[in-house]
Amino acid sequence: MTMDAQSPSVRVLVFGAALRAGSTNAQLASLASGLIAEAGAEVDLARMRDFDMPLYDEDVEDSTGLPPGALALCERIRRCDAFVISAPEYNASVPGLLKNAIDWVSRVRPQPFKTKHALLLSSSPSMIGGNRGLWALRVPLEHLGTRVYPDMFSLPRVHEAFTADGRLAHPGSHERLAETISGFMRLVCADVEFVCLRRRWYEFPGDRTDAPITHRTEG
């Protein structure tokens, strides 16, 4: 899928939600960023180390404000039309590092996750590829108003999933990832190009889902 030459520019933030230098989720994020770039979008490829921050503490927030790492992540999210997270699964749930980042950034006003499109990916040595962690990750993001794409991509048996040059070893896995990203990018491009699609299509406390575009609440 490629964007039409007349379409407005689309910017996508992509990052792997792990600190380990050899993280397979960072590899998956890099592979996804290439496919998104091939679709004609501008890609902002980031690492979790770009967003270092302490554990959320309201006393710290009250005394010193938000940490630089949270503000940096907030700004990167604000500048994009959509974001892609490739997240490991820790004990069948969300990595604490990622949940902590979401909690910090959610304190910013206006809240930057709201109205952004998101695609969730994961890789794992397990047979289900980290899928349980992605279902858990949907909860805080959707609560914050993120439009999380219905399809998610989970890469199982990741210890044998990549070739030496960073591609997916199984052709079927690559095809499934490419199809997932293609569908996601079609939705994002349509939302950017066609104003009529920008009405609320999710529930969020205090939103008027029938409000005109100019009356949407972004706080």
Side-chain angles (χ1 to χ4, degrees), residues 112-162:
F113 288 108
K114 198 172 185 181
T115 77
K116 300 295 183 181
H117 291 278
L119 174 64
L120 305 184
L121 318 175
S122 68
S123 66
S124 170
S126 76
M127 291 297 294
I128 58 175
N131 192 58
R132 295 168 300 184
L134 294 188
W135 280 110
L137 179 55
R138 295 185 73 98
V139 175
L141 292 176
E142 290 181 332
H143 170 75
L144 293 168
T146 303
R147 300 167 178 177
V148 183
Y149 192 60
D151 290 342
M152 303 181 292
F153 178 85
S154 298
L155 184 64
R157 299 181 62 84
V158 73
H159 51 286
E160 56 188 39
F162 285 97

mmCIF file of all heavy atoms in Angstrom, residues 112-162:
data_model
loop_
_atom_site.group_PDB
_atom_site.id
_atom_site.type_symbol
_atom_site.label_atom_id
_atom_site.label_comp_id
_atom_site.label_asym_id
_atom_site.label_seq_id
_atom_site.Cartn_x
_atom_site.Cartn_y
_atom_site.Cartn_z
ATOM 1 N N PRO A 112 -2.017 13.842 25.221
ATOM 2 C CA PRO A 112 -1.575 13.592 23.852
ATOM 3 C C PRO A 112 -2.014 12.270 23.221
ATOM 4 O O PRO A 112 -1.979 12.138 22.000
ATOM 5 C CB PRO A 112 -0.052 13.643 23.965
ATOM 6 C CG PRO A 112 0.226 13.200 25.362
ATOM 7 C CD PRO A 112 -0.893 13.757 26.179
ATOM 8 N N PHE A 113 -2.404 11.277 24.024
ATOM 9 C CA PHE A 113 -2.804 10.003 23.451
ATOM 10 C C PHE A 113 -4.162 10.090 22.754
ATOM 11 O O PHE A 113 -4.459 9.316 21.850
ATOM 12 C CB PHE A 113 -2.892 8.924 24.543
ATOM 13 C CG PHE A 113 -1.556 8.488 25.073
ATOM 14 C CD1 PHE A 113 -1.158 8.851 26.348
ATOM 15 C CD2 PHE A 113 -0.700 7.720 24.308
ATOM 16 C CE1 PHE A 113 0.071 8.451 26.850
ATOM 17 C CE2 PHE A 113 0.529 7.302 24.796
ATOM 18 C CZ PHE A 113 0.916 7.675 26.079
ATOM 19 N N LYS A 114 -4.958 11.039 23.169
ATOM 20 C CA LYS A 114 -6.334 11.138 22.692
ATOM 21 C C LYS A 114 -6.378 11.467 21.208
ATOM 22 O O LYS A 114 -5.708 12.391 20.752
ATOM 23 C CB LYS A 114 -7.069 12.212 23.498
ATOM 24 C CG LYS A 114 -8.568 12.141 23.416
ATOM 25 C CD LYS A 114 -9.163 13.125 24.414
ATOM 26 C CE LYS A 114 -10.668 13.019 24.455
ATOM 27 N NZ LYS A 114 -11.236 13.991 25.404
ATOM 28 N N THR A 115 -7.159 10.696 20.470
ATOM 29 C CA THR A 115 -7.395 10.803 19.019
ATOM 30 C C THR A 115 -6.266 10.229 18.167
ATOM 31 O O THR A 115 -6.399 10.154 16.952
ATOM 32 C CB THR A 115 -7.678 12.244 18.534
ATOM 33 O OG1 THR A 115 -6.458 12.994 18.457
ATOM 34 C CG2 THR A 115 -8.686 12.949 19.410
ATOM 35 N N LYS A 116 -5.159 9.797 18.755
ATOM 36 C CA LYS A 116 -4.083 9.201 17.961
ATOM 37 C C LYS A 116 -4.434 7.752 17.611
ATOM 38 O O LYS A 116 -5.041 7.030 18.397
ATOM 39 C CB LYS A 116 -2.756 9.221 18.730
ATOM 40 C CG LYS A 116 -2.264 10.603 19.117
ATOM 41 C CD LYS A 116 -1.922 11.451 17.916
ATOM 42 C CE LYS A 116 -1.363 12.798 18.357
ATOM 43 N NZ LYS A 116 -1.039 13.667 17.211
ATOM 44 N N HIS A 117 -4.040 7.351 16.424
ATOM 45 C CA HIS A 117 -4.189 5.950 16.030
ATOM 46 C C HIS A 117 -2.978 5.160 16.534
ATOM 47 O O HIS A 117 -1.859 5.678 16.548
ATOM 48 C CB HIS A 117 -4.271 5.824 14.515
ATOM 49 C CG HIS A 117 -5.534 6.367 13.930
ATOM 50 N ND1 HIS A 117 -6.706 5.658 13.888
ATOM 51 C CD2 HIS A 117 -5.801 7.580 13.376
ATOM 52 C CE1 HIS A 117 -7.650 6.387 13.318
ATOM 53 N NE2 HIS A 117 -7.125 7.563 13.001
ATOM 54 N N ALA A 118 -3.200 3.911 16.918
ATOM 55 C CA ALA A 118 -2.099 3.082 17.414
ATOM 56 C C ALA A 118 -2.211 1.662 16.879
ATOM 57 O O ALA A 118 -3.315 1.113 16.757
ATOM 58 C CB ALA A 118 -2.080 3.056 18.929
ATOM 59 N N LEU A 119 -1.071 1.088 16.576
ATOM 60 C CA LEU A 119 -0.969 -0.314 16.184
ATOM 61 C C LEU A 119 -0.047 -1.000 17.180
ATOM 62 O O LEU A 119 1.037 -0.488 17.480
ATOM 63 C CB LEU A 119 -0.404 -0.438 14.767
ATOM 64 C CG LEU A 119 -0.109 -1.856 14.265
ATOM 65 C CD1 LEU A 119 -1.389 -2.680 14.163
ATOM 66 C CD2 LEU A 119 0.600 -1.803 12.912
ATOM 67 N N LEU A 120 -0.461 -2.160 17.675
ATOM 68 C CA LEU A 120 0.310 -2.878 18.683
ATOM 69 C C LEU A 120 0.918 -4.148 18.114
ATOM 70 O O LEU A 120 0.240 -4.965 17.486
ATOM 71 C CB LEU A 120 -0.590 -3.228 19.879
ATOM 72 C CG LEU A 120 -1.337 -2.051 20.530
ATOM 73 C CD1 LEU A 120 -2.110 -2.541 21.750
ATOM 74 C CD2 LEU A 120 -0.387 -0.938 20.900
ATOM 75 N N LEU A 121 2.222 -4.306 18.345
ATOM 76 C CA LEU A 121 2.974 -5.470 17.899
ATOM 77 C C LEU A 121 3.680 -6.092 19.097
ATOM 78 O O LEU A 121 3.905 -5.433 20.112
ATOM 79 C CB LEU A 121 4.036 -5.072 16.861
ATOM 80 C CG LEU A 121 3.672 -4.073 15.767
ATOM 81 C CD1 LEU A 121 4.914 -3.737 14.947
ATOM 82 C CD2 LEU A 121 2.574 -4.636 14.883
ATOM 83 N N SER A 122 4.062 -7.352 18.963
ATOM 84 C CA SER A 122 4.851 -7.991 20.018
ATOM 85 C C SER A 122 5.632 -9.157 19.452
ATOM 86 O O SER A 122 5.271 -9.733 18.427
ATOM 87 C CB SER A 122 3.952 -8.483 21.167
ATOM 88 O OG SER A 122 3.139 -9.551 20.727
ATOM 89 N N SER A 123 6.713 -9.494 20.128
ATOM 90 C CA SER A 123 7.462 -10.712 19.812
ATOM 91 C C SER A 123 7.784 -11.405 21.121
ATOM 92 O O SER A 123 7.994 -10.759 22.144
ATOM 93 C CB SER A 123 8.752 -10.380 19.053
ATOM 94 O OG SER A 123 9.653 -9.658 19.869
ATOM 95 N N SER A 124 7.814 -12.713 21.078
ATOM 96 C CA SER A 124 8.033 -13.479 22.303
ATOM 97 C C SER A 124 8.522 -14.884 21.957
ATOM 98 O O SER A 124 8.186 -15.416 20.895
ATOM 99 C CB SER A 124 6.722 -13.568 23.103
ATOM 100 O OG SER A 124 6.835 -14.491 24.166
ATOM 101 N N PRO A 125 9.308 -15.512 22.848
ATOM 102 C CA PRO A 125 9.710 -16.904 22.634
ATOM 103 C C PRO A 125 8.535 -17.873 22.739
ATOM 104 O O PRO A 125 8.638 -19.021 22.292
ATOM 105 C CB PRO A 125 10.723 -17.158 23.752
ATOM 106 C CG PRO A 125 11.144 -15.812 24.229
ATOM 107 C CD PRO A 125 9.961 -14.927 24.028
ATOM 108 N N SER A 126 7.433 -17.428 23.315
ATOM 109 C CA SER A 126 6.294 -18.325 23.536
ATOM 110 C C SER A 126 5.570 -18.634 22.229
ATOM 111 O O SER A 126 5.787 -17.992 21.203
ATOM 112 C CB SER A 126 5.303 -17.695 24.524
ATOM 113 O OG SER A 126 4.549 -16.667 23.891
ATOM 114 N N MET A 127 4.658 -19.580 22.281
ATOM 115 C CA MET A 127 3.901 -19.983 21.097
ATOM 116 C C MET A 127 2.828 -18.969 20.717
ATOM 117 O O MET A 127 2.318 -19.009 19.601
ATOM 118 C CB MET A 127 3.256 -21.353 21.336
ATOM 119 C CG MET A 127 4.248 -22.503 21.401
ATOM 120 S SD MET A 127 5.136 -22.724 19.834
ATOM 121 C CE MET A 127 3.809 -23.239 18.763
ATOM 122 N N ILE A 128 2.461 -18.062 21.641
ATOM 123 C CA ILE A 128 1.414 -17.099 21.316
ATOM 124 C C ILE A 128 1.976 -15.699 21.085
ATOM 125 O O ILE A 128 1.240 -14.745 20.875
ATOM 126 C CB ILE A 128 0.319 -17.052 22.406
ATOM 127 C CG1 ILE A 128 0.906 -16.689 23.774
ATOM 128 C CG2 ILE A 128 -0.422 -18.367 22.473
ATOM 129 C CD1 ILE A 128 -0.165 -16.524 24.831
ATOM 130 N N GLY A 129 3.285 -15.562 21.121
ATOM 131 C CA GLY A 129 3.924 -14.342 20.650
ATOM 132 C C GLY A 129 3.685 -13.072 21.430
ATOM 133 O O GLY A 129 3.797 -11.981 20.883
ATOM 134 N N GLY A 130 3.326 -13.156 22.697
ATOM 135 C CA GLY A 130 3.114 -11.944 23.490
ATOM 136 C C GLY A 130 1.738 -11.351 23.342
ATOM 137 O O GLY A 130 1.501 -10.201 23.731
ATOM 138 N N ASN A 131 0.803 -12.111 22.802
ATOM 139 C CA ASN A 131 -0.542 -11.593 22.538
ATOM 140 C C ASN A 131 -1.276 -11.180 23.807
ATOM 141 O O ASN A 131 -2.026 -10.199 23.821
ATOM 142 C CB ASN A 131 -1.356 -12.651 21.794
ATOM 143 C CG ASN A 131 -2.649 -12.090 21.228
ATOM 144 O OD1 ASN A 131 -2.635 -11.152 20.440
ATOM 145 N ND2 ASN A 131 -3.756 -12.678 21.630
ATOM 146 N N ARG A 132 -1.062 -11.891 24.905
ATOM 147 C CA ARG A 132 -1.744 -11.544 26.164
ATOM 148 C C ARG A 132 -1.312 -10.158 26.650
ATOM 149 O O ARG A 132 -2.120 -9.385 27.166
ATOM 150 C CB ARG A 132 -1.447 -12.590 27.230
ATOM 151 C CG ARG A 132 -1.998 -13.972 26.928
ATOM 152 C CD ARG A 132 -1.437 -15.017 27.852
ATOM 153 N NE ARG A 132 0.034 -15.102 27.741
ATOM 154 C CZ ARG A 132 0.774 -15.995 28.384
ATOM 155 N NH1 ARG A 132 0.188 -16.875 29.174
ATOM 156 N NH2 ARG A 132 2.088 -16.007 28.236
ATOM 157 N N GLY A 133 -0.039 -9.841 26.488
ATOM 158 C CA GLY A 133 0.440 -8.526 26.883
ATOM 159 C C GLY A 133 -0.188 -7.419 26.066
ATOM 160 O O GLY A 133 -0.454 -6.321 26.578
ATOM 161 N N LEU A 134 -0.441 -7.681 24.769
ATOM 162 C CA LEU A 134 -1.050 -6.662 23.921
ATOM 163 C C LEU A 134 -2.500 -6.398 24.317
ATOM 164 O O LEU A 134 -2.963 -5.253 24.275
ATOM 165 C CB LEU A 134 -0.969 -7.085 22.451
ATOM 166 C CG LEU A 134 0.437 -7.177 21.858
ATOM 167 C CD1 LEU A 134 0.359 -7.424 20.356
ATOM 168 C CD2 LEU A 134 1.244 -5.909 22.150
ATOM 169 N N TRP A 135 -3.217 -7.441 24.698
ATOM 170 C CA TRP A 135 -4.594 -7.215 25.163
ATOM 171 C C TRP A 135 -4.593 -6.360 26.427
ATOM 172 O O TRP A 135 -5.449 -5.490 26.607
ATOM 173 C CB TRP A 135 -5.291 -8.557 25.424
ATOM 174 C CG TRP A 135 -5.796 -9.195 24.174
ATOM 175 C CD1 TRP A 135 -5.306 -10.318 23.566
ATOM 176 C CD2 TRP A 135 -6.878 -8.748 23.353
ATOM 177 N NE1 TRP A 135 -6.013 -10.587 22.411
ATOM 178 C CE2 TRP A 135 -6.980 -9.652 22.265
ATOM 179 C CE3 TRP A 135 -7.763 -7.681 23.435
ATOM 180 C CZ2 TRP A 135 -7.943 -9.500 21.256
ATOM 181 C CZ3 TRP A 135 -8.724 -7.534 22.422
ATOM 182 C CH2 TRP A 135 -8.807 -8.443 21.359
ATOM 183 N N ALA A 136 -3.619 -6.583 27.294
ATOM 184 C CA ALA A 136 -3.520 -5.759 28.503
ATOM 185 C C ALA A 136 -3.132 -4.325 28.151
ATOM 186 O O ALA A 136 -3.602 -3.369 28.787
ATOM 187 C CB ALA A 136 -2.501 -6.365 29.468
ATOM 188 N N LEU A 137 -2.285 -4.147 27.138
ATOM 189 C CA LEU A 137 -1.840 -2.810 26.744
ATOM 190 C C LEU A 137 -2.965 -1.995 26.132
ATOM 191 O O LEU A 137 -2.983 -0.764 26.259
ATOM 192 C CB LEU A 137 -0.676 -2.945 25.756
ATOM 193 C CG LEU A 137 -0.071 -1.664 25.183
ATOM 194 C CD1 LEU A 137 0.380 -0.712 26.293
ATOM 195 C CD2 LEU A 137 1.089 -2.002 24.252
ATOM 196 N N ARG A 138 -3.898 -2.651 25.484
ATOM 197 C CA ARG A 138 -5.035 -1.924 24.900
ATOM 198 C C ARG A 138 -5.809 -1.146 25.958
ATOM 199 O O ARG A 138 -6.348 -0.062 25.676
ATOM 200 C CB ARG A 138 -5.998 -2.890 24.208
ATOM 201 C CG ARG A 138 -5.468 -3.609 23.003
ATOM 202 C CD ARG A 138 -6.571 -4.433 22.344
ATOM 203 N NE ARG A 138 -7.508 -3.541 21.667
ATOM 204 C CZ ARG A 138 -7.466 -3.289 20.350
ATOM 205 N NH1 ARG A 138 -6.540 -3.853 19.592
ATOM 206 N NH2 ARG A 138 -8.345 -2.478 19.809
ATOM 207 N N VAL A 139 -5.898 -1.697 27.165
ATOM 208 C CA VAL A 139 -6.784 -1.123 28.192
ATOM 209 C C VAL A 139 -6.418 0.314 28.544
ATOM 210 O O VAL A 139 -7.266 1.221 28.432
ATOM 211 C CB VAL A 139 -6.818 -2.023 29.448
ATOM 212 C CG1 VAL A 139 -7.629 -1.359 30.554
ATOM 213 C CG2 VAL A 139 -7.404 -3.393 29.105
ATOM 214 N N PRO A 140 -5.179 0.631 28.979
ATOM 215 C CA PRO A 140 -4.876 2.020 29.313
ATOM 216 C C PRO A 140 -4.899 2.940 28.100
ATOM 217 O O PRO A 140 -5.317 4.104 28.212
ATOM 218 C CB PRO A 140 -3.474 1.949 29.936
ATOM 219 C CG PRO A 140 -2.877 0.693 29.420
ATOM 220 C CD PRO A 140 -4.017 -0.255 29.270
ATOM 221 N N LEU A 141 -4.465 2.449 26.943
ATOM 222 C CA LEU A 141 -4.457 3.304 25.756
ATOM 223 C C LEU A 141 -5.874 3.672 25.317
ATOM 224 O O LEU A 141 -6.166 4.840 25.029
ATOM 225 C CB LEU A 141 -3.708 2.615 24.609
ATOM 226 C CG LEU A 141 -2.200 2.452 24.804
ATOM 227 C CD1 LEU A 141 -1.601 1.659 23.650
ATOM 228 C CD2 LEU A 141 -1.509 3.815 24.923
ATOM 229 N N GLU A 142 -6.761 2.690 25.280
ATOM 230 C CA GLU A 142 -8.141 2.984 24.893
ATOM 231 C C GLU A 142 -8.843 3.833 25.930
ATOM 232 O O GLU A 142 -9.660 4.700 25.596
ATOM 233 C CB GLU A 142 -8.891 1.679 24.630
ATOM 234 C CG GLU A 142 -8.405 0.981 23.365
ATOM 235 C CD GLU A 142 -9.147 -0.308 23.067
ATOM 236 O OE1 GLU A 142 -9.644 -0.954 24.025
ATOM 237 O OE2 GLU A 142 -9.215 -0.684 21.879
ATOM 238 N N HIS A 143 -8.518 3.625 27.201
ATOM 239 C CA HIS A 143 -9.075 4.482 28.252
ATOM 240 C C HIS A 143 -8.684 5.938 28.039
ATOM 241 O O HIS A 143 -9.471 6.850 28.304
ATOM 242 C CB HIS A 143 -8.585 4.014 29.618
ATOM 243 C CG HIS A 143 -8.917 4.977 30.723
ATOM 244 N ND1 HIS A 143 -10.191 5.112 31.239
ATOM 245 C CD2 HIS A 143 -8.145 5.871 31.399
ATOM 246 C CE1 HIS A 143 -10.185 6.044 32.180
ATOM 247 N NE2 HIS A 143 -8.962 6.519 32.288
ATOM 248 N N LEU A 144 -7.477 6.167 27.520
ATOM 249 C CA LEU A 144 -6.990 7.521 27.288
ATOM 250 C C LEU A 144 -7.455 8.089 25.945
ATOM 251 O O LEU A 144 -7.089 9.207 25.588
ATOM 252 C CB LEU A 144 -5.465 7.550 27.369
ATOM 253 C CG LEU A 144 -4.897 7.272 28.762
ATOM 254 C CD1 LEU A 144 -3.396 7.038 28.691
ATOM 255 C CD2 LEU A 144 -5.218 8.415 29.718
ATOM 256 N N GLY A 145 -8.256 7.327 25.219
ATOM 257 C CA GLY A 145 -8.817 7.840 23.975
ATOM 258 C C GLY A 145 -8.052 7.500 22.725
ATOM 259 O O GLY A 145 -8.366 8.005 21.647
ATOM 260 N N THR A 146 -7.034 6.647 22.827
ATOM 261 C CA THR A 146 -6.296 6.232 21.643
ATOM 262 C C THR A 146 -7.164 5.304 20.791
ATOM 263 O O THR A 146 -7.867 4.450 21.315
ATOM 264 C CB THR A 146 -5.005 5.494 22.037
ATOM 265 O OG1 THR A 146 -4.219 6.331 22.868
ATOM 266 C CG2 THR A 146 -4.196 5.111 20.801
ATOM 267 N N ARG A 147 -7.090 5.483 19.481
ATOM 268 C CA ARG A 147 -7.833 4.627 18.562
ATOM 269 C C ARG A 147 -6.962 3.418 18.223
ATOM 270 O O ARG A 147 -6.244 3.408 17.227
ATOM 271 C CB ARG A 147 -8.191 5.420 17.305
ATOM 272 C CG ARG A 147 -9.041 6.642 17.591
ATOM 273 C CD ARG A 147 -9.104 7.558 16.390
ATOM 274 N NE ARG A 147 -9.971 8.706 16.648
ATOM 275 C CZ ARG A 147 -10.153 9.695 15.786
ATOM 276 N NH1 ARG A 147 -9.503 9.699 14.634
ATOM 277 N NH2 ARG A 147 -10.962 10.691 16.084
ATOM 278 N N VAL A 148 -7.021 2.409 19.061
ATOM 279 C CA VAL A 148 -6.162 1.234 18.897
ATOM 280 C C VAL A 148 -6.729 0.347 17.781
ATOM 281 O O VAL A 148 -7.893 -0.061 17.828
ATOM 282 C CB VAL A 148 -6.037 0.428 20.198
ATOM 283 C CG1 VAL A 148 -5.088 -0.744 20.005
ATOM 284 C CG2 VAL A 148 -5.535 1.322 21.338
ATOM 285 N N TYR A 149 -5.888 0.061 16.796
ATOM 286 C CA TYR A 149 -6.312 -0.724 15.641
ATOM 287 C C TYR A 149 -6.762 -2.112 16.096
ATOM 288 O O TYR A 149 -6.109 -2.745 16.921
ATOM 289 C CB TYR A 149 -5.144 -0.842 14.666
ATOM 290 C CG TYR A 149 -5.501 -1.383 13.311
ATOM 291 C CD1 TYR A 149 -6.418 -0.723 12.492
ATOM 292 C CD2 TYR A 149 -4.906 -2.551 12.837
ATOM 293 C CE1 TYR A 149 -6.732 -1.212 11.238
ATOM 294 C CE2 TYR A 149 -5.216 -3.047 11.581
ATOM 295 C CZ TYR A 149 -6.133 -2.376 10.786
ATOM 296 O OH TYR A 149 -6.437 -2.867 9.537
ATOM 297 N N PRO A 150 -7.898 -2.597 15.566
ATOM 298 C CA PRO A 150 -8.419 -3.890 16.032
ATOM 299 C C PRO A 150 -7.446 -5.057 15.862
ATOM 300 O O PRO A 150 -7.322 -5.907 16.742
ATOM 301 C CB PRO A 150 -9.677 -4.086 15.173
ATOM 302 C CG PRO A 150 -10.094 -2.711 14.792
ATOM 303 C CD PRO A 150 -8.820 -1.937 14.622
ATOM 304 N N ASP A 151 -6.765 -5.125 14.720
ATOM 305 C CA ASP A 151 -5.811 -6.216 14.500
ATOM 306 C C ASP A 151 -4.493 -5.925 15.213
ATOM 307 O O ASP A 151 -4.011 -4.790 15.191
ATOM 308 C CB ASP A 151 -5.535 -6.405 13.008
ATOM 309 C CG ASP A 151 -6.727 -6.986 12.266
ATOM 310 O OD1 ASP A 151 -7.616 -7.546 12.939
ATOM 311 O OD2 ASP A 151 -6.763 -6.887 11.030
ATOM 312 N N MET A 152 -3.916 -6.953 15.804
ATOM 313 C CA MET A 152 -2.608 -6.837 16.442
ATOM 314 C C MET A 152 -1.712 -7.929 15.850
ATOM 315 O O MET A 152 -2.201 -8.960 15.391
ATOM 316 C CB MET A 152 -2.726 -6.998 17.955
ATOM 317 C CG MET A 152 -3.675 -5.995 18.603
ATOM 318 S SD MET A 152 -3.792 -6.172 20.406
ATOM 319 C CE MET A 152 -4.621 -7.768 20.551
ATOM 320 N N PHE A 153 -0.409 -7.687 15.883
ATOM 321 C CA PHE A 153 0.524 -8.663 15.321
ATOM 322 C C PHE A 153 1.408 -9.209 16.432
ATOM 323 O O PHE A 153 2.113 -8.454 17.099
ATOM 324 C CB PHE A 153 1.394 -8.010 14.237
ATOM 325 C CG PHE A 153 2.411 -8.947 13.656
ATOM 326 C CD1 PHE A 153 2.078 -9.807 12.615
ATOM 327 C CD2 PHE A 153 3.713 -8.980 14.156
ATOM 328 C CE1 PHE A 153 3.017 -10.684 12.079
ATOM 329 C CE2 PHE A 153 4.660 -9.844 13.621
ATOM 330 C CZ PHE A 153 4.312 -10.705 12.585
ATOM 331 N N SER A 154 1.378 -10.531 16.603
ATOM 332 C CA SER A 154 2.219 -11.192 17.600
ATOM 333 C C SER A 154 3.127 -12.189 16.907
ATOM 334 O O SER A 154 2.654 -13.040 16.139
ATOM 335 C CB SER A 154 1.355 -11.915 18.641
ATOM 336 O OG SER A 154 0.534 -11.007 19.342
ATOM 337 N N LEU A 155 4.416 -12.090 17.171
ATOM 338 C CA LEU A 155 5.409 -12.954 16.540
ATOM 339 C C LEU A 155 5.869 -14.012 17.539
ATOM 340 O O LEU A 155 6.592 -13.700 18.488
ATOM 341 C CB LEU A 155 6.590 -12.115 16.064
ATOM 342 C CG LEU A 155 7.689 -12.842 15.290
ATOM 343 C CD1 LEU A 155 7.144 -13.400 13.978
ATOM 344 C CD2 LEU A 155 8.861 -11.891 15.022
ATOM 345 N N PRO A 156 5.478 -15.283 17.363
ATOM 346 C CA PRO A 156 5.874 -16.338 18.308
ATOM 347 C C PRO A 156 7.254 -16.903 17.999
ATOM 348 O O PRO A 156 7.839 -16.623 16.951
ATOM 349 C CB PRO A 156 4.790 -17.397 18.081
ATOM 350 C CG PRO A 156 4.444 -17.248 16.628
ATOM 351 C CD PRO A 156 4.579 -15.774 16.322
ATOM 352 N N ARG A 157 7.775 -17.671 18.939
ATOM 353 C CA ARG A 157 9.052 -18.383 18.773
ATOM 354 C C ARG A 157 10.113 -17.455 18.167
ATOM 355 O O ARG A 157 10.762 -17.774 17.167
ATOM 356 C CB ARG A 157 8.860 -19.633 17.914
ATOM 357 C CG ARG A 157 7.886 -20.644 18.514
ATOM 358 C CD ARG A 157 7.748 -21.877 17.655
ATOM 359 N NE ARG A 157 9.022 -22.586 17.534
ATOM 360 C CZ ARG A 157 9.493 -23.459 18.422
ATOM 361 N NH1 ARG A 157 8.796 -23.724 19.519
ATOM 362 N NH2 ARG A 157 10.653 -24.054 18.220
ATOM 363 N N VAL A 158 10.240 -16.296 18.806
ATOM 364 C CA VAL A 158 11.051 -15.235 18.209
ATOM 365 C C VAL A 158 12.528 -15.598 18.116
ATOM 366 O O VAL A 158 13.265 -15.035 17.302
ATOM 367 C CB VAL A 158 10.853 -13.921 19.006
ATOM 368 C CG1 VAL A 158 11.550 -13.989 20.360
ATOM 369 C CG2 VAL A 158 11.324 -12.724 18.209
ATOM 370 N N HIS A 159 12.978 -16.560 18.925
ATOM 371 C CA HIS A 159 14.379 -16.971 18.876
ATOM 372 C C HIS A 159 14.758 -17.580 17.533
ATOM 373 O O HIS A 159 15.946 -17.704 17.215
ATOM 374 C CB HIS A 159 14.676 -17.962 20.012
ATOM 375 C CG HIS A 159 13.723 -19.108 20.087
ATOM 376 N ND1 HIS A 159 12.442 -18.969 20.564
ATOM 377 C CD2 HIS A 159 13.856 -20.407 19.732
ATOM 378 C CE1 HIS A 159 11.815 -20.138 20.514
ATOM 379 N NE2 HIS A 159 12.658 -21.025 20.008
ATOM 380 N N GLU A 160 13.758 -17.964 16.741
ATOM 381 C CA GLU A 160 14.032 -18.512 15.415
ATOM 382 C C GLU A 160 13.266 -17.760 14.321
ATOM 383 O O GLU A 160 13.160 -18.233 13.193
ATOM 384 C CB GLU A 160 13.664 -19.998 15.366
ATOM 385 C CG GLU A 160 12.225 -20.288 15.750
ATOM 386 C CD GLU A 160 11.929 -21.781 15.879
ATOM 387 O OE1 GLU A 160 12.793 -22.515 16.387
ATOM 388 O OE2 GLU A 160 10.835 -22.198 15.448
ATOM 389 N N ALA A 161 12.774 -16.575 14.643
ATOM 390 C CA ALA A 161 11.884 -15.859 13.726
ATOM 391 C C ALA A 161 12.602 -14.913 12.776
ATOM 392 O O ALA A 161 12.071 -14.564 11.723
ATOM 393 C CB ALA A 161 10.840 -15.068 14.516
ATOM 394 N N PHE A 162 13.819 -14.445 13.146
ATOM 395 C CA PHE A 162 14.525 -13.458 12.337
ATOM 396 C C PHE A 162 15.699 -14.082 11.587
ATOM 397 O O PHE A 162 16.383 -14.977 12.097
ATOM 398 C CB PHE A 162 15.059 -12.320 13.212
ATOM 399 C CG PHE A 162 13.999 -11.362 13.680
ATOM 400 C CD1 PHE A 162 13.432 -11.495 14.939
ATOM 401 C CD2 PHE A 162 13.578 -10.315 12.871
ATOM 402 C CE1 PHE A 162 12.463 -10.612 15.385
ATOM 403 C CE2 PHE A 162 12.611 -9.430 13.300
ATOM 404 C CZ PHE A 162 12.045 -9.566 14.559
#
